Amino acid sequence: MSDDPGSAGHWEDVYRERDPDQVSWFQQRPRPSLDLILQAVGDRRAGVIDVGGGASPLAARLVEAGFADVTVLDVSGRALAAARRAAETASGVAAEAVTWVRADLLTWQPTRTWAVWHDRAVFHFLTDPADRATYLAALRQATEPGAIVVLGTFAADGPTHCSGLPVTRWTAEELAAELGDAFVLLHSRRHRHRTPAGSVQPFTWITARRI
């Protein structure tokens, strides 16, 4: 496996070796992602992008909640295919209701903007400051003033590694500072995620608005 967090080969291997409901980040109900988006966004016409969405059911839950413009971006084709199948079979959400984009976030060039940027656990894999700068440049390119960012990472007392890769751990204040002066922190919370194996992973979550 590659130790590059954006490596398609690494994440294809992860989803080849384990079913989507066996990976440590699996959630049957994508909380607090869904709760924070619904709390921050009243207009269901708002475009939402889930970066690093993988096989998460979040996109299907958003469509069920009335959102009509949902995009999922992930580097793993296997993960995206699994999410599409699950959306169609378990939720009855047509594949056409979601835009599925296979791309490496660190080389991706957005061709439009979204009103909501959601990321559960991509950012904490970016241990290189240069990669975080690239991520933030993509975030700014993909959003406009007024856009909402919902961001979740491992908390300061969370795991030091995930899926064989080192991670960075963050407090809400550190995440807000990393986003920079172009964003204002609206909300933060701590969440204890229980993995399918039964272990507990503390997460930091923030909601911010682009100024």
Side-chain angles (χ1 to χ4, degrees):
M1 275 188 191
S2 167
D3 60 2
D4 176 359
S7 164
H10 177 94
W11 296 110
E12 295 291 21
D13 285 345
V14 167
Y15 282 100
R16 182 181 296 109
E17 294 165 5
R18 285 176 278 177
D19 291 335
D21 61 357
Q22 306 262 309
V23 295
S24 64
W25 52 89
F26 174 76
Q27 293 176 298
Q28 188 65 48
R29 176 170 170 78
R31 292 177 126 166
S33 300
L34 184 60
D35 295 342
L36 291 174
I37 293 172
L38 294 178
Q39 174 185 318
V41 183
D43 186 355
R44 297 299 193 263
R45 296 169 299 177
V48 182
I49 183 166
D50 183 14
V51 298
S56 169
L58 177 62
R61 299 291 91 79
L62 288 170
V63 172
E64 290 172 350
F67 285 88
D69 180 6
V70 179
T71 302
V72 180
L73 182 147
D74 200 90
V75 73
S76 169
R78 284 178 176 271
L80 292 175
R84 289 180 65 134
R85 288 194 301 271
E88 292 172 336
T89 58
S91 305
V93 173
E96 298 76 28
V98 179
T99 300
W100 309 91
V101 179
R102 183 180 183 182
D104 180 342
L105 182 58
L106 296 181
T107 58
W108 172 62
Q109 293 295 316
T111 57
R112 55 163 290 189
T113 59
W114 289 265
V116 183
W117 173 285
H118 170 268
D119 169 10
R120 176 179 179 258
V122 172
F123 195 72
H124 67 209
F125 281 109
L126 306 181
T127 58
D128 185 337
D131 286 343
R132 292 199 293 273
T134 299
Y135 175 106
L136 293 172
L139 167 58
R140 290 189 294 269
Q141 188 176 346
T143 58
E144 297 178 350
I148 294 295
V149 176
V150 176
L151 177 59
T153 70
F154 285 137
D157 57 341
T160 60
H161 289 73
C162 181
S163 293
L165 298 174
V167 298
T168 52
R169 301 180 293 176
W170 298 87
T171 65
E173 294 75 18
E174 289 168 340
L175 285 175
E178 193 76 6
L179 287 178
D181 294 339
F183 296 86
V184 59
L185 180 65
L186 300 178
H187 175 81
S188 66
R189 73 167 63 172
R190 177 180 171 88
H191 176 72
R192 289 166 61 82
H193 166 62
R194 185 170 295 278
T195 73
S199 62
V200 173
Q201 297 176 335
F203 271 73
T204 294
W205 281 92
I206 67 167
T207 304
R209 178 182 291 116
R210 183 170 176 182
I211 300 172

